[in-house]
Amino acid sequence: MLQNIGIPGLILVLVIALIIFGPSKLPELGRAVGSTLKEFKKSTRELVSDDSTDKSQSKKEEKMI
């Protein structure tokens, strides 16, 4: 999806964001987006690790039976 934007499209999006939010709110918006992505990555890692531990536990239980 982001592959089709290109440099001119990215510059256009940044200019529009600057016009809409203003230079004072843009850093706050960037921090909010960054923390949201960080939290999303953390939760997906936890879900993946939970799934892998569940699978390994079920394999151990199958071997015991």
Side-chain angles (χ1 to χ4, degrees), residues 5-14:
I5 292 177
I7 298 296
L10 186 61
I11 292 171
L12 181 64
V13 168
L14 290 174

Side-chain angles (χ1 to χ4, degrees), residues 8-23 26 29:
L10 186 61
I11 292 171
L12 181 64
V13 168
L14 290 174
V15 167
I16 291 172
L18 185 62
I19 291 170
I20 291 173
F21 297 110
L26 216 51
L29 184 66

Side-chain angles (χ1 to χ4, degrees), residues 3-63:
Q3 299 161 347
N4 296 333
I5 292 177
I7 298 296
L10 186 61
I11 292 171
L12 181 64
V13 168
L14 290 174
V15 167
I16 291 172
L18 185 62
I19 291 170
I20 291 173
F21 297 110
S24 62
K25 293 287 183 180
L26 216 51
E28 293 175 21
L29 184 66
R31 273 188 232 109
V33 169
S35 64
T36 302
L37 287 175
K38 183 179 176 183
E39 190 66 32
F40 179 75
K41 286 180 182 181
K42 180 182 172 186
S43 63
T44 54
R45 283 186 196 132
E46 289 175 357
L47 288 174
V48 169
S49 67
D50 287 345
D51 288 344
S52 64
T53 57
D54 289 344
K55 288 179 183 178
S56 65
Q57 287 178 355
S58 64
K59 287 181 182 179
K60 288 179 183 178
E61 290 173 358
E62 289 176 2
K63 288 181 181 179

